[in-house]
């Protein structure tokens, strides 16, 4: 809870003083001159983050690392992750392209929470995914867009445009998401759902290159464009289907879970058909 509060404050009110307390005597204040008042539940020493523990286990980089850890149990057509042995934090860091200290902190946090065994394998995946899903429900910026020239099959035109779109160091800058991504991965279950598109930024030039134009707020949209809040995790994990980048199956499960229009139904289908058998020994969806 503390990590979630701090992450939220950094995102919505950066550089503003804030704090929180609890009934055990915990006092945590942030801001110029406020830190000396911090104390733990016992009312004694200043409170500091536990050594080696990340502030946010579900930060952008950590979500990507989690995908690297669990994605090896999934087909490479469903998620794009390195497939080598990853028994140590150093090995995962090298494969994922992140710093060794960052991977070590995540490994330590996962082991402390009982989610990682000594072989570097994720355990109690159902509980971990439940926490992951809760953390992923933070608001993301969305805008509506319309087809510039829809034609007979505008979605296919979008796929072609995505296949030609810009990349950053080999990683796509846009990809299909949510229900459209589920369909592209061959695990779709809901028909007639809105088309979602992930982008790094929703500039007019980006949308125009994809055959779209930004709509004023409130107008009916052909495509819902979502600016990725966790771009490293979203785009690094994306796979290509017929050349077009598509959000990976874990990202699809996280995203559709929060969609009121048959999203939980689609999420349950993904868990029952793929994620549960591969990661949680067939356990029911969290």
């Amino acid at each position: 809870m503390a990590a979630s509060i701090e992450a939220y404050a950094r995102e919505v009110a950066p550089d503003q003083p804030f704090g929180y307390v609890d009934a055990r005597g915990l006092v945590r204040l942030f801001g110029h001159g406020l830190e000396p008042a911090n104390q733990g539940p016992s009312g004694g020493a200043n409170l500091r983050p536990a050594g080696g523990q990340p502030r946010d286990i579900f930060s952008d980089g950590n979500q990507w690392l989690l995908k690297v850890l669990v994605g090896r149990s999934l087909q490479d057509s469903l998620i794009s992750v390195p497939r080598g042995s990853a028994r140590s934090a150093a090995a995962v860091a090298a494969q994922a392209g992140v710093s060794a200290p960052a991977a070590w902190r995540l490994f330590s946090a996962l082991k402390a929470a009982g989610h990682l065994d000594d072989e570097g394998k994720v355990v109690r995946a159902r509980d971990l995914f439940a926490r992951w899903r809760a953390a992923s429900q933070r608001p993301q910026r969305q805008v509506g867009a319309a087809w510039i020239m829809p034609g007979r099959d505008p979605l296919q035109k979008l796929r072609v445009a995505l296949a030609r779109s810009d990349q950053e160091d080999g990683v796509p800058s846009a990809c299909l998401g949510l229900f459209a991504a589920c369909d592209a991965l061959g695990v779709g279950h809901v028909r007639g759902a809105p088309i979602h598109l992930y982008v790094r930024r929703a500039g007019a030039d980006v949308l125009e290159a994809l055959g779209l134009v930004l709509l004023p707020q409130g107008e009916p949209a052909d495509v819902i464009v979502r600016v990725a809040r966790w771009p490293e995790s979203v785009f690094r994990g994306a796979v290509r289907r017929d050349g077009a980048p598509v959000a990976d199956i874990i990202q699809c499960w996280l995203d559709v879970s929060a969609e009121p229009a048959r999203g939980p139904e689609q999420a349950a289908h993904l868990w029952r058909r793929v994620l549960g058998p591969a990661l949680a020994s067939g356990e029911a969806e969290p």
Side-chain angles (χ1 to χ4, degrees), residues 236-257:
R236 284 194 181 196
V239 297
R240 289 192 177 269
R241 301 306 292 263
D242 297 326
V246 175
D248 65 82
I249 192 167
I250 294 177
Q251 193 65 48
C252 288
W253 180 82
L254 293 170
D255 292 337
V256 299
S257 296

Side-chain angles (χ1 to χ4, degrees), residues 69-70 72 86-89 92 107 111 115-123:
L69 285 172
V70 303
R72 292 170 295 157
R87 296 182 58 179
S88 69
V92 173
F107 263 55
K111 287 183 177 180
H115 290 306
L116 199 68
D117 64 17
D118 293 336
E119 300 297 319
K121 181 180 178 181
V122 171
V123 293

Side-chain angles (χ1 to χ4, degrees), residues 206-238:
V206 173
L207 298 183
E208 183 177 350
L210 297 174
L212 298 167
V213 60
L214 188 65
L215 289 174
Q217 188 174 2
E219 288 195 14
D222 296 320
V223 178
I224 299 173
V225 180
R226 178 175 289 188
V227 180
R229 185 169 192 157
W230 300 280
E232 292 301 302
S233 176
V234 169
F235 295 118
R236 284 194 181 196

Side-chain angles (χ1 to χ4, degrees), residues 26 39 68 70 109 115 132 138 195 208 231:
L26 170 69
Q39 61 184 24
V68 173
V70 303
H115 290 306
W132 193 348
R138 302 170 193 170
I195 298 171
E208 183 177 350

Side-chain angles (χ1 to χ4, degrees), residues 8-138:
Y8 179 78
R10 287 195 300 269
E11 291 162 0
V12 304
D15 302 322
Q16 295 300 310
F18 73 97
Y20 51 86
V21 300
D22 72 8
R24 302 171 303 158
L26 170 69
V27 177
R28 194 85 188 268
L29 304 177
F30 296 81
H32 181 66
L34 298 178
E35 285 82 356
N38 288 342
Q39 61 184 24
S42 63
N46 288 349
L47 182 67
R48 293 287 183 263
Q53 301 295 315
R55 284 185 176 271
D56 184 1
I57 193 174
F58 299 109
S59 66
D60 188 12
N62 283 342
Q63 288 192 53
W64 164 236
L65 285 171
L66 284 169
K67 286 183 178 180
V68 173
L69 285 172
V70 303
R72 292 170 295 157
S73 299
L74 300 168
Q75 297 178 17
D76 55 10
S77 60
L78 299 176
I79 188 169
S80 179
V81 294
R83 299 284 168 173
S85 175
R87 296 182 58 179
S88 69
V92 173
Q95 293 173 11
V98 302
S99 70
W104 184 83
R105 286 192 294 269
L106 179 63
F107 263 55
S108 298
L110 291 175
K111 287 183 177 180
H115 290 306
L116 199 68
D117 64 17
D118 293 336
E119 300 297 319
K121 181 180 178 181
V122 171
V123 293
R124 295 176 54 231
R126 181 179 181 275
D127 294 337
L128 176 61
F129 269 64
R131 295 177 60 192
W132 193 348
R133 179 172 59 185
S136 72
Q137 303 308 309
R138 302 170 193 170

Side-chain angles (χ1 to χ4, degrees), residues 127-250:
D127 294 337
L128 176 61
F129 269 64
R131 295 177 60 192
W132 193 348
R133 179 172 59 185
S136 72
Q137 303 308 309
R138 302 170 193 170
Q140 300 190 63
R141 182 190 171 209
Q142 291 189 164
V143 296
W147 307 115
I148 295 176
M149 297 181 64
R152 292 184 177 180
D153 192 348
L155 181 55
Q156 178 58 26
K157 287 185 177 181
L158 177 59
R159 292 192 183 103
V160 172
L162 283 170
R164 299 172 178 170
S165 61
D166 294 337
Q167 301 183 38
E168 294 185 11
D169 298 325
V171 177
S173 297
C175 69
L176 289 176
L178 284 81
F179 300 99
C182 291
D183 290 341
L185 293 174
V187 288
H189 183 67
V190 174
R191 296 293 175 262
I195 298 171
H196 287 79
L197 176 70
Y198 265 119
V199 295
R200 290 184 182 271
R201 63 181 186 88
D205 57 329
V206 173
L207 298 183
E208 183 177 350
L210 297 174
L212 298 167
V213 60
L214 188 65
L215 289 174
Q217 188 174 2
E219 288 195 14
D222 296 320
V223 178
I224 299 173
V225 180
R226 178 175 289 188
V227 180
R229 185 169 192 157
W230 300 280
E232 292 301 302
S233 176
V234 169
F235 295 118
R236 284 194 181 196
V239 297
R240 289 192 177 269
R241 301 306 292 263
D242 297 326
V246 175
D248 65 82
I249 192 167
I250 294 177

